[in-house]
């Protein structure tokens, strides 16, 4: 197999994992988990989101979490935002990296953000400018990049349009996200190769959900295509509030285990990461889809 030799994982459990959980964790619990992640060697952690707390109650305290976590200088603590208000909240609590999101699917974007992808794109520029003024870096995510429950398929041309909109807005770090969990390995490889080739200036992330059990296979396909950055979640916790039946992200410790077996460097201590996952799952009070944890 011809795979990349080292990868970076972003632990998205505190945001993507927790956001659809009914059990609300306390700010203290979230801070404890994130500090443990820093100690385990994670160098990118998605701490939370600055979105409407009525829509996502679990994320209402993201500002407090940011203020209270012990921030290691070499760790990127990022948050999801939806608009200018998100940039301002990030600036107010010491968050230095935000992530915008738009869906490649018009139908999904309407359900999720109540506007079309191009309307979302039109709003990017002011967010990026405001972030620059506040010394905050911006990345962009394209959800439903591999397909959605609302569309038969998303033509690659539609995804490229969103990539180009991000580039035009000054965003060069882009995540291809499969929130619905419909991506499959050969698609990831083929589409991934094309994206890597066509947009060499982009720092890419891949974000898979395990709804149909193909998450870790998709990461493997991504590694074969040459991608080095992946989002994963402790214990495979999570779902998608807008996709009924969607499973969580690919499980962090399962990916770490695979990498350890295959001598692919992650910089993360598997035992410490397992301990974080165990703790998170016990806080939530239910089992998960994670294999290693079982
Ligand atoms: Zn997700």
């Amino acid at each position: 197999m011809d795979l990349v030799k080292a990868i970076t994982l972003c632990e998205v459990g505190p945001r993507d994992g927790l956001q659809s959980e009914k059990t609300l964790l306390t700010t203290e619990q979230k801070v404890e988990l994130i500090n443990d992640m820093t100690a385990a060697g994670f160098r990118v952690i998605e701490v939370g989101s600055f979105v409407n707390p009525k829509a996502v109650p679990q994320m209402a305290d993201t500002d407090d979490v940011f203020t209270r976590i012990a921030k290691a200088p070499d760790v990127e603590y990022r948050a999801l935002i939806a608009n200018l208000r998100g940039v301002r909240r990030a600036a107010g609590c010491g968050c230095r990296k935000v992530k915008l999101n738009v869906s490649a699917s018009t139908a999904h974007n309407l359900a999720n953000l109540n506007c079309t992808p191009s309307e979302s794109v039109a709003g990017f520029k002011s967010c990026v400018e405001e972030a620059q003024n506040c010394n905050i870096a911006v990345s962009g995510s394209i959800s439903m990049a591999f397909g959605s429950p609302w569309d038969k398929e998303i033509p690659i041309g539609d995804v490229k349009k969103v990539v180009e909109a991000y580039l035009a807005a000054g965003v060069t770090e882009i995540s291809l996200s499969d929130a619905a969990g419909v991506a499959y390995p050969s698609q990831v490889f083929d589409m991934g190769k094309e994206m890597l080739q066509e947009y060499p200036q982009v720092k890419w992330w891949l974000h898979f959900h395990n709804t149909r059990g193909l998450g870790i296979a998709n990461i493997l396909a991504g590694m074969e295509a040459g991608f080095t950055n992946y989002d994963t979640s402790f214990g495979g916790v999570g779902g998608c509030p807008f996709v009924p039946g969607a499973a969580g992200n690919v499980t962090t410790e399962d990916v770490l285990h695979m990498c350890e077996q295959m001598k692919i460097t992650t910089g993360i201590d598997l035992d410490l990461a397992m301990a974080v996952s165990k703790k998170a799952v016990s806080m939530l009070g239910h089992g998960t889809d994670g294999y290693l944890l079982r």
Side-chain angles (χ1 to χ4, degrees), residues 102-105 117 121 124 141-146 154-169 171 174-176 190-202 204:
V102 68
S103 178
S105 155
V121 169
F124 291 163
S141 162
I142 305 174
S143 64
M144 308 297 153
F146 300 92
I154 309 279
I156 191 167
D158 287 7
V159 184
K160 287 180 181 177
K161 269 185 210 154
V162 183
V163 170
E164 276 151 30
Y166 271 125
L167 291 173
V171 176
I174 298 173
S175 167
L176 299 174
D190 291 342
M191 181 174 152
K193 274 262 176 212
E194 192 169 331
M195 289 296 189
L196 285 167
Q197 209 159 29
E198 198 156 329
Y199 305 103
Q201 70 274 48
V202 172
W204 293 103

Side-chain angles (χ1 to χ4, degrees), residues 16 207 209 249:
D16 209 357
H207 176 110
H209 282 255
N249 296 95

